[in-house]
Short mmCIF file of all heavy atoms in Angstrom, two decimals:
data_model
loop_
_atom_site.label_atom_id
_atom_site.label_comp_id
_atom_site.label_asym_id
_atom_site.label_seq_id
_atom_site.Cartn_x
_atom_site.Cartn_y
_atom_site.Cartn_z
N MET A 13 121.63 -3.96 -25.51
CA MET A 13 120.42 -3.77 -24.74
C MET A 13 120.05 -2.29 -24.64
O MET A 13 118.91 -1.93 -24.86
CB MET A 13 120.64 -4.39 -23.34
CG MET A 13 119.48 -4.26 -22.44
SD MET A 13 118.23 -5.43 -22.93
CE MET A 13 117.05 -5.16 -21.69
N VAL A 14 121.04 -1.45 -24.33
CA VAL A 14 120.78 -0.01 -24.20
C VAL A 14 120.43 0.58 -25.55
O VAL A 14 119.52 1.43 -25.66
CB VAL A 14 122.01 0.69 -23.58
CG1 VAL A 14 121.82 2.19 -23.59
CG2 VAL A 14 122.27 0.19 -22.18
N TRP A 15 121.12 0.13 -26.63
CA TRP A 15 120.82 0.65 -27.96
C TRP A 15 119.42 0.26 -28.41
O TRP A 15 118.76 1.03 -29.10
CB TRP A 15 121.85 0.15 -28.97
CG TRP A 15 123.21 0.75 -28.74
CD1 TRP A 15 124.30 0.12 -28.24
CD2 TRP A 15 123.58 2.10 -28.97
NE1 TRP A 15 125.35 1.00 -28.14
CE2 TRP A 15 124.93 2.23 -28.60
CE3 TRP A 15 122.92 3.21 -29.45
CZ2 TRP A 15 125.62 3.43 -28.69
CZ3 TRP A 15 123.61 4.41 -29.55
CH2 TRP A 15 124.95 4.51 -29.17
N GLY A 16 118.96 -0.88 -28.02
CA GLY A 16 117.60 -1.32 -28.35
C GLY A 16 116.56 -0.43 -27.69
O GLY A 16 115.54 -0.07 -28.30
N ILE A 17 116.82 -0.09 -26.44
CA ILE A 17 115.88 0.77 -25.72
C ILE A 17 115.86 2.17 -26.35
O ILE A 17 114.79 2.77 -26.52
CB ILE A 17 116.26 0.84 -24.22
CG1 ILE A 17 116.05 -0.52 -23.57
CG2 ILE A 17 115.46 1.91 -23.51
CD1 ILE A 17 116.57 -0.61 -22.15
N ILE A 18 117.03 2.68 -26.70
CA ILE A 18 117.11 4.01 -27.33
C ILE A 18 116.42 4.00 -28.68
O ILE A 18 115.63 4.91 -28.99
CB ILE A 18 118.58 4.45 -27.47
CG1 ILE A 18 119.19 4.70 -26.09
CG2 ILE A 18 118.68 5.70 -28.34
CD1 ILE A 18 120.67 4.97 -26.10
N LEU A 19 116.66 2.98 -29.48
CA LEU A 19 116.03 2.88 -30.80
C LEU A 19 114.51 2.75 -30.67
O LEU A 19 113.76 3.41 -31.39
CB LEU A 19 116.60 1.69 -31.57
CG LEU A 19 116.08 1.50 -32.98
CD1 LEU A 19 116.46 2.71 -33.85
CD2 LEU A 19 116.62 0.23 -33.58
N LEU A 20 114.07 1.92 -29.74
CA LEU A 20 112.63 1.75 -29.53
C LEU A 20 111.99 3.06 -29.05
O LEU A 20 110.88 3.41 -29.47
CB LEU A 20 112.38 0.64 -28.52
CG LEU A 20 110.94 0.19 -28.34
CD1 LEU A 20 110.39 -0.35 -29.66
CD2 LEU A 20 110.85 -0.87 -27.26
N SER A 21 112.68 3.80 -28.21
CA SER A 21 112.16 5.09 -27.73
C SER A 21 112.05 6.09 -28.88
O SER A 21 111.05 6.82 -28.98
CB SER A 21 113.08 5.67 -26.65
OG SER A 21 113.12 4.83 -25.55
N LEU A 22 113.07 6.13 -29.75
CA LEU A 22 113.02 7.05 -30.89
C LEU A 22 111.90 6.70 -31.85
O LEU A 22 111.19 7.58 -32.34
CB LEU A 22 114.37 7.05 -31.62
CG LEU A 22 115.52 7.71 -30.87
CD1 LEU A 22 116.82 7.53 -31.64
CD2 LEU A 22 115.24 9.17 -30.62
N VAL A 23 111.71 5.44 -32.12
CA VAL A 23 110.62 5.01 -33.00
C VAL A 23 109.27 5.37 -32.36
O VAL A 23 108.36 5.86 -33.03
CB VAL A 23 110.72 3.51 -33.31
CG1 VAL A 23 109.47 3.00 -34.00
CG2 VAL A 23 111.95 3.21 -34.16
N GLY A 24 109.15 5.14 -31.06
CA GLY A 24 107.91 5.49 -30.36
C GLY A 24 107.62 6.98 -30.40
O GLY A 24 106.48 7.39 -30.62
N LEU A 25 108.65 7.79 -30.21
CA LEU A 25 108.46 9.24 -30.28
C LEU A 25 108.09 9.69 -31.68
O LEU A 25 107.26 10.60 -31.86
CB LEU A 25 109.73 9.96 -29.82
CG LEU A 25 110.00 9.92 -28.32
CD1 LEU A 25 111.37 10.53 -28.02
CD2 LEU A 25 108.92 10.65 -27.56
N PHE A 26 108.66 9.07 -32.71
CA PHE A 26 108.33 9.42 -34.09
C PHE A 26 106.87 9.08 -34.39
O PHE A 26 106.14 9.88 -34.99
CB PHE A 26 109.26 8.69 -35.06
CG PHE A 26 109.00 9.03 -36.49
CD1 PHE A 26 109.29 10.28 -36.99
CD2 PHE A 26 108.45 8.08 -37.34
CE1 PHE A 26 109.04 10.60 -38.32
CE2 PHE A 26 108.19 8.39 -38.66
CZ PHE A 26 108.49 9.65 -39.15
N VAL A 27 106.41 7.91 -33.96
CA VAL A 27 105.01 7.52 -34.17
C VAL A 27 104.10 8.48 -33.40
O VAL A 27 103.06 8.91 -33.92
CB VAL A 27 104.79 6.06 -33.73
CG1 VAL A 27 103.31 5.72 -33.68
CG2 VAL A 27 105.53 5.12 -34.66
N PHE A 28 104.48 8.84 -32.19
CA PHE A 28 103.71 9.79 -31.39
C PHE A 28 103.60 11.13 -32.10
O PHE A 28 102.54 11.75 -32.14
CB PHE A 28 104.38 9.93 -30.02
CG PHE A 28 103.61 10.73 -29.03
CD1 PHE A 28 102.37 10.32 -28.59
CD2 PHE A 28 104.13 11.90 -28.51
CE1 PHE A 28 101.65 11.05 -27.66
CE2 PHE A 28 103.43 12.65 -27.59
CZ PHE A 28 102.19 12.22 -27.16
N TYR A 29 104.71 11.60 -32.70
CA TYR A 29 104.72 12.85 -33.45
C TYR A 29 103.76 12.78 -34.63
O TYR A 29 102.98 13.72 -34.87
CB TYR A 29 106.14 13.16 -33.93
CG TYR A 29 106.21 14.28 -34.94
CD1 TYR A 29 106.11 15.60 -34.54
CD2 TYR A 29 106.35 14.01 -36.30
CE1 TYR A 29 106.17 16.63 -35.45
CE2 TYR A 29 106.40 15.03 -37.22
CZ TYR A 29 106.31 16.34 -36.79
OH TYR A 29 106.35 17.35 -37.70
N ILE A 30 103.79 11.70 -35.39
CA ILE A 30 102.92 11.56 -36.56
C ILE A 30 101.45 11.56 -36.14
O ILE A 30 100.61 12.21 -36.78
CB ILE A 30 103.28 10.28 -37.35
CG1 ILE A 30 104.64 10.46 -38.02
CG2 ILE A 30 102.22 9.96 -38.38
CD1 ILE A 30 105.15 9.23 -38.71
N VAL A 31 101.12 10.86 -35.06
CA VAL A 31 99.73 10.80 -34.59
C VAL A 31 99.25 12.18 -34.16
O VAL A 31 98.16 12.63 -34.54
CB VAL A 31 99.60 9.78 -33.44
CG1 VAL A 31 98.25 9.92 -32.75
CG2 VAL A 31 99.80 8.38 -33.95
N ILE A 32 100.06 12.90 -33.40
CA ILE A 32 99.67 14.24 -32.94
C ILE A 32 99.57 15.20 -34.12
O ILE A 32 98.63 16.00 -34.21
CB ILE A 32 100.64 14.76 -31.87
CG1 ILE A 32 100.42 13.98 -30.59
CG2 ILE A 32 100.46 16.25 -31.64
CD1 ILE A 32 101.28 14.40 -29.45
N PHE A 33 100.51 15.15 -35.06
CA PHE A 33 100.48 16.03 -36.23
C PHE A 33 99.20 15.81 -37.03
O PHE A 33 98.51 16.76 -37.40
CB PHE A 33 101.71 15.78 -37.11
CG PHE A 33 101.73 16.59 -38.36
CD1 PHE A 33 102.09 17.92 -38.32
CD2 PHE A 33 101.38 16.03 -39.58
CE1 PHE A 33 102.12 18.68 -39.47
CE2 PHE A 33 101.40 16.77 -40.73
CZ PHE A 33 101.77 18.10 -40.67
N ALA A 34 98.85 14.55 -37.27
CA ALA A 34 97.64 14.25 -38.04
C ALA A 34 96.39 14.70 -37.29
O ALA A 34 95.45 15.24 -37.89
CB ALA A 34 97.58 12.76 -38.34
N ALA A 35 96.36 14.51 -35.98
CA ALA A 35 95.18 14.88 -35.19
C ALA A 35 95.00 16.40 -35.17
O ALA A 35 93.87 16.89 -35.31
CB ALA A 35 95.32 14.34 -33.77
N VAL A 36 96.07 17.13 -35.00
CA VAL A 36 95.98 18.60 -34.95
C VAL A 36 95.57 19.14 -36.31
O VAL A 36 94.69 20.01 -36.41
CB VAL A 36 97.32 19.22 -34.48
CG1 VAL A 36 97.33 20.71 -34.70
CG2 VAL A 36 97.55 18.89 -33.03
N LYS A 37 96.18 18.64 -37.38
CA LYS A 37 95.84 19.12 -38.72
C LYS A 37 94.38 18.82 -39.04
O LYS A 37 93.66 19.67 -39.55
CB LYS A 37 96.76 18.46 -39.75
CG LYS A 37 96.54 18.96 -41.14
CD LYS A 37 97.53 18.36 -42.10
CE LYS A 37 97.26 18.86 -43.49
NZ LYS A 37 98.09 18.22 -44.48
N ASP A 38 93.92 17.62 -38.74
CA ASP A 38 92.54 17.25 -38.99
C ASP A 38 91.60 18.06 -38.11
O ASP A 38 90.54 18.49 -38.56
CB ASP A 38 92.36 15.75 -38.72
CG ASP A 38 90.99 15.27 -39.14
OD1 ASP A 38 90.58 15.58 -40.28
OD2 ASP A 38 90.33 14.58 -38.34
N GLY A 39 91.99 18.31 -36.87
CA GLY A 39 91.16 19.10 -35.97
C GLY A 39 91.00 20.53 -36.43
O GLY A 39 89.91 21.11 -36.34
N ILE A 40 92.06 21.13 -36.93
CA ILE A 40 91.99 22.50 -37.42
C ILE A 40 91.15 22.57 -38.68
O ILE A 40 90.33 23.47 -38.85
CB ILE A 40 93.40 23.06 -37.67
CG1 ILE A 40 94.12 23.27 -36.35
CG2 ILE A 40 93.35 24.36 -38.46
CD1 ILE A 40 95.57 23.64 -36.47
N ASP A 41 91.32 21.61 -39.58
CA ASP A 41 90.56 21.62 -40.83
C ASP A 41 89.07 21.44 -40.59
O ASP A 41 88.25 21.98 -41.32
CB ASP A 41 91.06 20.52 -41.77
CG ASP A 41 92.42 20.85 -42.35
OD1 ASP A 41 92.84 22.03 -42.29
OD2 ASP A 41 93.07 19.93 -42.89
N ARG A 42 88.69 20.70 -39.57
CA ARG A 42 87.27 20.43 -39.31
C ARG A 42 86.63 21.43 -38.34
O ARG A 42 85.43 21.40 -38.15
CB ARG A 42 87.10 19.03 -38.76
CG ARG A 42 87.38 17.98 -39.80
CD ARG A 42 87.05 16.63 -39.29
NE ARG A 42 87.32 15.61 -40.31
CZ ARG A 42 86.97 14.37 -40.21
NH1 ARG A 42 86.34 13.95 -39.15
NH2 ARG A 42 87.26 13.54 -41.17
N SER A 43 87.41 22.30 -37.73
CA SER A 43 86.85 23.24 -36.76
C SER A 43 86.09 24.35 -37.48
O SER A 43 86.25 24.57 -38.68
CB SER A 43 87.96 23.85 -35.90
OG SER A 43 88.75 24.72 -36.67
N GLU A 44 85.27 25.08 -36.74
CA GLU A 44 84.50 26.17 -37.32
C GLU A 44 85.43 27.28 -37.81
O GLU A 44 85.22 27.85 -38.88
CB GLU A 44 83.51 26.73 -36.31
CG GLU A 44 82.37 25.79 -36.01
CD GLU A 44 81.37 26.41 -35.06
OE1 GLU A 44 81.21 27.64 -35.08
OE2 GLU A 44 80.74 25.65 -34.31
N VAL A 45 86.46 27.59 -37.03
CA VAL A 45 87.40 28.64 -37.42
C VAL A 45 88.16 28.22 -38.68
O VAL A 45 88.35 29.01 -39.60
CB VAL A 45 88.38 28.95 -36.27
CG1 VAL A 45 89.45 29.91 -36.72
CG2 VAL A 45 87.63 29.49 -35.08
N GLY A 46 88.56 26.96 -38.73
CA GLY A 46 89.25 26.46 -39.91
C GLY A 46 88.38 26.53 -41.15
O GLY A 46 88.84 26.88 -42.23
N GLN A 47 87.10 26.23 -41.00
CA GLN A 47 86.17 26.31 -42.13
C GLN A 47 85.97 27.76 -42.57
O GLN A 47 85.90 28.05 -43.76
CB GLN A 47 84.83 25.68 -41.76
CG GLN A 47 84.89 24.19 -41.53
CD GLN A 47 85.27 23.43 -42.78
OE1 GLN A 47 84.85 23.76 -43.87
NE2 GLN A 47 86.10 22.42 -42.60
N LEU A 48 85.88 28.70 -41.60
CA LEU A 48 85.72 30.11 -41.95
C LEU A 48 86.94 30.63 -42.70
O LEU A 48 86.82 31.36 -43.69
CB LEU A 48 85.48 30.94 -40.70
CG LEU A 48 84.12 30.79 -40.03
CD1 LEU A 48 84.10 31.53 -38.71
CD2 LEU A 48 83.03 31.30 -40.95
N ILE A 49 88.13 30.26 -42.23
CA ILE A 49 89.36 30.70 -42.91
C ILE A 49 89.43 30.11 -44.30
O ILE A 49 89.81 30.80 -45.26
CB ILE A 49 90.59 30.30 -42.06
CG1 ILE A 49 90.64 31.12 -40.79
CG2 ILE A 49 91.88 30.46 -42.87
CD1 ILE A 49 91.69 30.68 -39.80
N LEU A 50 89.05 28.86 -44.44
CA LEU A 50 89.07 28.22 -45.76
C LEU A 50 88.08 28.88 -46.70
O LEU A 50 88.39 29.10 -47.88
CB LEU A 50 88.75 26.73 -45.61
CG LEU A 50 88.96 25.86 -46.82
CD1 LEU A 50 90.42 25.89 -47.25
CD2 LEU A 50 88.54 24.43 -46.53
N MET A 51 86.90 29.27 -46.19
CA MET A 51 85.92 29.94 -47.04
C MET A 51 86.40 31.33 -47.43
O MET A 51 86.20 31.77 -48.57
CB MET A 51 84.57 30.03 -46.33
CG MET A 51 83.83 28.74 -46.29
SD MET A 51 82.25 28.74 -45.40
CE MET A 51 81.81 30.41 -45.17
N LYS A 52 87.04 32.05 -46.51
CA LYS A 52 87.45 33.42 -46.78
C LYS A 52 88.67 33.49 -47.70
O LYS A 52 88.71 34.27 -48.64
CB LYS A 52 87.74 34.15 -45.47
CG LYS A 52 88.11 35.60 -45.68
CD LYS A 52 88.21 36.35 -44.38
CE LYS A 52 88.51 37.81 -44.67
NZ LYS A 52 88.50 38.61 -43.47
N TYR A 53 89.68 32.67 -47.41
CA TYR A 53 90.94 32.78 -48.14
C TYR A 53 91.14 31.67 -49.17
O TYR A 53 92.09 31.72 -49.94
CB TYR A 53 92.12 32.76 -47.16
CG TYR A 53 92.10 33.95 -46.25
CD1 TYR A 53 91.79 33.82 -44.91
CD2 TYR A 53 92.39 35.21 -46.73
CE1 TYR A 53 91.77 34.90 -44.07
CE2 TYR A 53 92.38 36.31 -45.89
CZ TYR A 53 92.06 36.15 -44.56
OH TYR A 53 92.04 37.24 -43.73
N GLY A 54 90.30 30.68 -49.18
CA GLY A 54 90.44 29.60 -50.15
C GLY A 54 91.46 28.58 -49.72
O GLY A 54 92.04 28.65 -48.65
N ASP A 55 91.70 27.64 -50.61
CA ASP A 55 92.63 26.55 -50.34
C ASP A 55 94.06 27.02 -50.51
O ASP A 55 94.35 27.86 -51.35
CB ASP A 55 92.35 25.39 -51.30
CG ASP A 55 93.00 24.12 -50.85
OD1 ASP A 55 93.46 24.06 -49.70
OD2 ASP A 55 93.04 23.17 -51.65
N LYS A 56 94.98 26.47 -49.70
CA LYS A 56 96.38 26.87 -49.78
C LYS A 56 96.97 26.53 -51.16
O LYS A 56 97.86 27.21 -51.62
CB LYS A 56 97.20 26.17 -48.70
CG LYS A 56 96.95 26.67 -47.32
CD LYS A 56 97.94 26.08 -46.36
CE LYS A 56 97.57 24.65 -46.06
NZ LYS A 56 98.40 24.05 -45.01
N ASP A 57 96.48 25.48 -51.79
CA ASP A 57 97.03 25.08 -53.08
C ASP A 57 96.64 26.03 -54.21
O ASP A 57 97.28 26.05 -55.25
CB ASP A 57 96.55 23.67 -53.44
CG ASP A 57 97.04 22.64 -52.45
OD1 ASP A 57 98.10 22.89 -51.82
OD2 ASP A 57 96.39 21.60 -52.29
N GLU A 58 95.60 26.83 -54.00
CA GLU A 58 95.13 27.75 -55.03
C GLU A 58 95.83 29.10 -54.99
O GLU A 58 95.59 29.94 -55.84
CB GLU A 58 93.63 27.96 -54.88
CG GLU A 58 92.81 26.71 -55.10
CD GLU A 58 91.34 26.92 -54.83
OE1 GLU A 58 90.95 28.05 -54.48
OE2 GLU A 58 90.58 25.97 -54.95
N ILE A 59 96.70 29.34 -54.03
CA ILE A 59 97.39 30.62 -53.90
C ILE A 59 98.41 30.74 -55.03
O ILE A 59 99.24 29.86 -55.23
CB ILE A 59 98.07 30.76 -52.53
CG1 ILE A 59 97.01 30.76 -51.43
CG2 ILE A 59 98.92 32.02 -52.48
CD1 ILE A 59 97.59 30.76 -50.04
N VAL A 60 98.34 31.83 -55.77
CA VAL A 60 99.25 32.04 -56.89
C VAL A 60 100.42 32.90 -56.41
O VAL A 60 100.22 34.00 -55.88
CB VAL A 60 98.52 32.76 -58.04
CG1 VAL A 60 99.46 33.02 -59.20
CG2 VAL A 60 97.30 31.96 -58.48
N PRO A 61 101.64 32.40 -56.56
CA PRO A 61 102.79 33.21 -56.13
C PRO A 61 102.98 34.43 -57.02
O PRO A 61 102.77 34.37 -58.23
CB PRO A 61 103.97 32.25 -56.23
CG PRO A 61 103.54 31.21 -57.19
CD PRO A 61 102.04 31.11 -57.09
N VAL A 62 103.38 35.53 -56.43
CA VAL A 62 103.60 36.77 -57.16
C VAL A 62 105.06 37.16 -56.98
O VAL A 62 105.58 37.14 -55.87
CB VAL A 62 102.68 37.89 -56.62
CG1 VAL A 62 102.91 39.18 -57.37
CG2 VAL A 62 101.23 37.47 -56.69
N CYS A 63 105.71 37.51 -58.08
CA CYS A 63 107.12 37.86 -57.98
C CYS A 63 107.27 39.32 -57.52
O CYS A 63 106.34 40.12 -57.59
CB CYS A 63 107.84 37.64 -59.31
SG CYS A 63 107.30 38.71 -60.62
N ASP A 64 108.46 39.66 -57.05
CA ASP A 64 108.72 40.99 -56.51
C ASP A 64 108.57 42.08 -57.58
O ASP A 64 108.13 43.19 -57.28
CB ASP A 64 110.13 41.06 -55.92
CG ASP A 64 110.26 40.21 -54.67
OD1 ASP A 64 109.22 39.93 -54.05
OD2 ASP A 64 111.39 39.85 -54.32
N GLU A 65 108.94 41.77 -58.82
CA GLU A 65 108.85 42.77 -59.89
C GLU A 65 107.41 43.19 -60.14
O GLU A 65 107.13 44.37 -60.37
CB GLU A 65 109.47 42.23 -61.19
CG GLU A 65 110.97 42.10 -61.16
CD GLU A 65 111.44 40.81 -60.49
OE1 GLU A 65 110.64 39.85 -60.36
OE2 GLU A 65 112.61 40.78 -60.08
N GLU A 66 106.48 42.23 -60.07
CA GLU A 66 105.07 42.56 -60.28
C GLU A 66 104.56 43.47 -59.16
O GLU A 66 103.80 44.41 -59.41
CB GLU A 66 104.24 41.29 -60.34
CG GLU A 66 104.50 40.44 -61.58
CD GLU A 66 103.70 39.16 -61.56
OE1 GLU A 66 102.80 39.00 -60.72
OE2 GLU A 66 103.99 38.30 -62.40
N ILE A 67 104.98 43.19 -57.94
CA ILE A 67 104.55 44.01 -56.81
C ILE A 67 105.11 45.42 -56.93
O ILE A 67 104.40 46.41 -56.74
CB ILE A 67 104.99 43.36 -55.48
CG1 ILE A 67 104.28 42.04 -55.30
CG2 ILE A 67 104.72 44.29 -54.31
CD1 ILE A 67 104.76 41.23 -54.13
N GLU A 68 106.39 45.53 -57.29
CA GLU A 68 107.02 46.84 -57.44
C GLU A 68 106.35 47.64 -58.55
O GLU A 68 106.09 48.83 -58.40
CB GLU A 68 108.51 46.68 -57.73
CG GLU A 68 109.31 46.23 -56.54
CD GLU A 68 110.77 46.03 -56.87
OE1 GLU A 68 111.21 46.47 -57.95
OE2 GLU A 68 111.47 45.43 -56.04
N LYS A 69 106.03 46.99 -59.68
CA LYS A 69 105.38 47.68 -60.80
C LYS A 69 104.01 48.19 -60.38
O LYS A 69 103.63 49.32 -60.69
CB LYS A 69 105.26 46.75 -62.00
CG LYS A 69 104.70 47.42 -63.22
CD LYS A 69 104.71 46.46 -64.39
CE LYS A 69 104.28 47.12 -65.66
NZ LYS A 69 102.87 47.28 -65.81
N GLU A 70 103.27 47.36 -59.66
CA GLU A 70 101.93 47.77 -59.21
C GLU A 70 102.02 48.95 -58.24
O GLU A 70 101.24 49.90 -58.34
CB GLU A 70 101.24 46.59 -58.54
CG GLU A 70 99.83 46.89 -58.12
CD GLU A 70 99.14 45.68 -57.53
OE1 GLU A 70 99.44 44.55 -57.96
OE2 GLU A 70 98.29 45.89 -56.65
N LEU A 71 102.98 48.93 -57.33
CA LEU A 71 103.13 50.04 -56.39
C LEU A 71 103.59 51.32 -57.10
O LEU A 71 103.14 52.41 -56.76
CB LEU A 71 104.12 49.67 -55.29
CG LEU A 71 103.64 48.61 -54.30
CD1 LEU A 71 104.77 48.22 -53.36
CD2 LEU A 71 102.44 49.11 -53.53
N GLU A 72 104.48 51.20 -58.09
CA GLU A 72 104.91 52.37 -58.85
C GLU A 72 103.75 52.97 -59.62
O GLU A 72 103.60 54.20 -59.68
CB GLU A 72 106.04 51.98 -59.80
CG GLU A 72 107.36 51.74 -59.10
CD GLU A 72 108.43 51.21 -60.04
OE1 GLU A 72 108.14 50.98 -61.24
OE2 GLU A 72 109.56 51.02 -59.58
N ASP A 73 102.92 52.12 -60.23
CA ASP A 73 101.75 52.61 -60.96
C ASP A 73 100.80 53.34 -60.02
O ASP A 73 100.24 54.39 -60.37
CB ASP A 73 101.03 51.45 -61.65
CG ASP A 73 101.82 50.88 -62.81
OD1 ASP A 73 102.78 51.55 -63.29
OD2 ASP A 73 101.51 49.75 -63.24
N GLU A 74 100.61 52.79 -58.84
CA GLU A 74 99.73 53.42 -57.86
C GLU A 74 100.29 54.77 -57.40
O GLU A 74 99.56 55.74 -57.27
CB GLU A 74 99.60 52.50 -56.63
CG GLU A 74 98.17 52.25 -56.20
CD GLU A 74 98.13 51.30 -55.06
OE1 GLU A 74 98.26 51.75 -53.91
OE2 GLU A 74 97.93 50.10 -55.32
N PHE A 75 101.59 54.84 -57.21
CA PHE A 75 102.25 56.07 -56.78
C PHE A 75 102.15 57.15 -57.86
O PHE A 75 101.90 58.31 -57.57
CB PHE A 75 103.71 55.79 -56.43
CG PHE A 75 104.44 56.99 -55.89
CD1 PHE A 75 104.16 57.50 -54.64
CD2 PHE A 75 105.40 57.61 -56.67
CE1 PHE A 75 104.81 58.60 -54.16
CE2 PHE A 75 106.07 58.71 -56.19
CZ PHE A 75 105.78 59.23 -54.94
N GLU A 76 102.32 56.74 -59.12
CA GLU A 76 102.23 57.70 -60.24
C GLU A 76 100.82 58.23 -60.40
O GLU A 76 100.62 59.39 -60.76
CB GLU A 76 102.72 57.05 -61.53
CG GLU A 76 104.21 56.80 -61.56
CD GLU A 76 104.64 56.02 -62.79
OE1 GLU A 76 103.80 55.69 -63.64
OE2 GLU A 76 105.86 55.73 -62.88
N ASN A 77 99.82 57.41 -60.16
CA ASN A 77 98.43 57.83 -60.30
C ASN A 77 98.02 58.84 -59.23
O ASN A 77 97.14 59.66 -59.45
CB ASN A 77 97.49 56.63 -60.25
CG ASN A 77 97.59 55.78 -61.50
OD1 ASN A 77 98.05 56.23 -62.53
ND2 ASN A 77 97.18 54.53 -61.38
N LYS A 78 98.67 58.81 -58.07
CA LYS A 78 98.32 59.73 -56.99
C LYS A 78 98.88 61.12 -57.24
O LYS A 78 98.38 62.09 -56.71
CB LYS A 78 98.84 59.20 -55.66
CG LYS A 78 98.04 58.02 -55.14
CD LYS A 78 98.51 57.60 -53.78
CE LYS A 78 97.67 56.43 -53.28
NZ LYS A 78 98.10 55.98 -51.97
N GLU A 79 99.94 61.21 -58.00
CA GLU A 79 100.57 62.53 -58.23
C GLU A 79 99.83 63.35 -59.24
O GLU A 79 99.07 63.21 -59.98
CB GLU A 79 102.01 62.34 -58.70
CG GLU A 79 102.88 61.83 -57.60
CD GLU A 79 104.32 61.67 -58.06
OE1 GLU A 79 104.60 61.68 -59.27
OE2 GLU A 79 105.17 61.55 -57.19
#
């Protein structure tokens, strides 16, 4: 009996978490601020990862050009 109540509570909390997560994510995506950020920075899936070596090379080139 006690295990059933605990299991039912855990399932209920998990469903509650999923509902709140979906509502918050959808709310942010549809808000004016969310739309402005999406227009300015683009979609998260379009971000191209840059490795550390490329960043270091670019900074070294910039440093050499200043001298």
